[in-house]
Structure formats: C-alpha cells, structure tokens
Amino acid sequence: MATTLTRSAPPPTPPRSARARHGGWIALFVAPTVVLFGLYTLWPSLSSVFYSMLEWRGLGTDRSFIGLSHYERALADPLFWRSVGVTMAIIAVTVPIRVAIALVLAIMLNNPRLPLARLLRTAFFLPVVATTAIVGIVMGFVLDPSAGPVNTLLELLGLPPVDFLGSSDTALGSVMAVHIWKWMGITMIYWLAALQTVPMDLYEAAEIDGAGTWHKFRHITLPMLTPFAVIITLLTVVETMQVFDLVLTMTGGGPFFSTLVTEVYIYEQAFTSANPNLGYAATLGVLFGVLTVIVVGSLLLITRLVRGRKEVTA
C-alpha cells in the first residue's frame, strides 16, 4: 500500500504588533522583580564593596579612601576568624540534625492514617512564624539559671542548676538547640512538599509484594527524595548562616566570644563598638558574602561530582 508523506504547515507567525504587545506585557511583569533586585540586592552589594575601601565611622562626611587596608586587617583579625569558626560549627552541627529530624517528622505526618496530622503540622510550624528576636528573649527567661522553668524542673529532679547561656561550655549548644527547634518547621514543610511527588501507587505495589516500612523507605522514598535533599540542604545551610537575631538576643555573642557568629561581629564593629568603623564592618560583610558563596558553591560542586560518579557506575 502506497503511503504519502505530508508536511504539516508551519504555525502562522503573529504580526509584529502582536509580538511587540506580548513583549511589553513580559517587560511589565518582570520590571518589579528587576527593580527590587537592583534596590535590595545589587545596590547594597556594590555599596558594601565601595564602603569597604573607606575609613569611615558612619557619621558625617569625613571619610578617606584606603584601598584594601581593611581587607588586610580582617585577614589578620583573630576575632573575625573565631566568628567564622563559630558560624561553621553551627552549620556543621545543626544542618544535619535539622534535615534528618525534619525528614522523619515529614514522613510521619505524611501518613494519611495518622490522626490529627494537620494539627501536628501546624504545631511544628508555629515557631517558624514567631519573631526570632522575641523567641530569643523568651528563651533567655526559659533558660534562666535562677528562676527559669528548665532549671526549676532540674531542681525538682534533684539535679544541680545549669547556667545554659552564662557558661561558655553550654551557651553555644543552647543556641544551637533553640535554632533547630525554631526553624525545624520550615525544613519539614520542604520535605512534605517533596513527599507529595512520590506516587502512592509505588507504595501500594510494594505492600502487595510484602515490603515493610523500612524497605519502602529504602527503595522508594529515599531514591525519590534524593534530588530534593540537595536543594533542602542548601536552603538550610543558607538559612543557618543568618542567625544574627537569635544569637544577639540570647547571648549577644558571649560569654567569652563562645557564640560570636560573624553577623554579630559585623554588627558590633558597625554600631556598638567603642570605636565604630562602618568601613571595616562593610569589609567583614563582603568577606562573609564571599564565604557564603564559597560554601554553597562547594556543596553544589560536591553534589555534582557525586551524581556524576553514580551515573558513570550505573
């Protein structure tokens, strides 16, 4: 039987006036994002680089250009590097705990047979919507060594009181614990959104084959969530680097610099130091921004290398 090949006609090209009108609508909707990005991201970033090369107290117009002198001072500043170490320690401890516990909570709350699942989701998410500064102040009262409810409970149990925020041995751990509790809900929401992409048919088929809870998690949930884990971990790392308000209200960076994160150190140099220097604070801000890019870029690079190696071995 003879067959004939017919070529479909190309779609009609819209007239030039229609294309111009379409482009105008696109520009209109994109313009607010471009303007806001320029005002609140691009301009402050460029201004910080400019101010970092000035000797300026932040008041008046008495300022002088000093080039890279502030950068040389920052690289030799032991307190700056200590603050970077504390920030990295908070990331290294809290991010794995937060991501792992949030995943467990999300899997439990994603079970349609769990009663009061919506109420529990709301309860875990409530600390996220609370103002961080208020949470920090309230936790200062909760962990108070003399009249706080935590130490009152310890006293009832016959245990000695603990100065959670006044001792350099426990202050950083206390801040980490509050930070995990405060932001656990948002990571749980990320995981819950990721879990909605896993088809329920796979679980039903696995149950028919006799798979248990662990095998379903190992062979269905975990592989399906792996691409989301990268994004969720990156988001959690970036959020964890922004602990300024919680640390400032709970400990102010003390005692003995044990909780001095980089953001608090920048704030002190700009506003609360005996000799405030906005130029030096801008330099620290620029270096912290570069550090953030390095951390996130390194995680992306490691993830890409691991994924490429898996594709080669598959």
Side-chain angles (χ1 to χ4, degrees), residues 21-298:
R21 189 166 56 249
H22 184 67
W25 279 111
I26 293 176
L28 180 64
F29 283 107
V30 171
T33 301
V34 174
V35 171
L36 292 175
F37 176 78
L39 286 176
Y40 294 105
T41 302
L42 186 60
W43 174 250
S45 300
L46 296 177
S47 298
S48 296
V49 175
F50 172 70
Y51 288 129
S52 69
M53 299 181 185
L54 298 179
E55 182 65 32
W56 185 35
R57 294 172 57 86
L59 299 173
T61 57
D62 185 15
R63 55 191 184 186
S64 57
F65 183 79
I66 59 171
L68 300 178
S69 298
H70 280 325
Y71 289 92
E72 296 175 0
R73 174 186 169 188
L75 294 177
D77 186 350
L79 273 183
F80 170 66
W81 291 111
R82 181 180 179 85
S83 70
V84 172
V86 172
T87 304
M88 293 298 108
I90 293 176
I91 292 174
V93 173
T94 63
V95 170
I97 295 175
R98 189 172 140 192
V99 171
I101 296 179
L103 174 60
V104 174
L105 289 176
I107 292 174
M108 293 173 57
L109 297 177
N110 195 50
N111 188 348
R113 300 170 187 169
L114 181 70
L116 304 176
R118 292 186 177 181
L119 179 63
L120 292 173
R121 290 181 186 182
T122 305
F124 283 115
F125 190 73
L126 270 180
V128 177
V129 299
T131 305
T132 308
I134 299 299
V135 170
I137 294 172
V138 171
M139 283 300 167
F141 291 111
V142 171
L143 301 175
D144 186 83
S146 57
V150 174
N151 274 295
T152 302
L153 179 61
L154 292 177
E155 188 176 356
L156 291 175
L157 296 174
L159 299 174
V162 179
D163 191 359
F164 290 99
L165 302 180
S167 169
S168 58
D169 296 329
T170 56
L172 185 58
S174 303
V175 171
M176 290 180 182
V178 174
H179 174 78
I180 292 172
W181 167 78
K182 169 76 172 65
W183 295 108
M184 180 70 69
I186 191 66
T187 312
M188 182 194 70
I189 293 298
Y190 296 155
W191 282 123
L192 280 172
L195 285 169
Q196 307 313 308
T197 65
V198 182
M200 295 301 295
D201 297 346
L202 296 179
Y203 292 120
E204 294 172 359
E207 289 178 356
I208 293 174
D209 292 339
T213 304
W214 167 249
H215 287 90
K216 287 189 290 185
F217 173 77
R218 172 69 179 81
H219 298 289
I220 298 177
T221 306
L222 202 56
M224 297 289 287
L225 293 184
T226 300
F228 298 97
V230 176
I231 302 300
I232 292 172
T233 302
L234 286 177
L235 290 173
T236 307
V237 167
V238 174
E239 291 170 0
T240 305
M241 297 185 84
Q242 302 166 359
V243 291
F244 166 76
D245 38 9
L246 186 65
V247 173
L248 187 69
T249 51
M250 288 188 70
T251 63
F256 305 112
F257 310 113
S258 60
T259 60
L260 183 66
V261 295
T262 306
E263 288 183 318
V264 172
Y265 187 51
I266 294 172
Y267 171 78
E268 289 179 349
Q269 293 299 314
F271 303 109
T272 63
S273 172
N275 185 22
N277 191 328
L278 203 64
Y280 186 57
T283 303
L284 299 178
V286 171
L287 292 176
F288 187 60
V290 172
L291 178 66
T292 304
V293 172
I294 291 174
V295 170
V296 175
S298 301

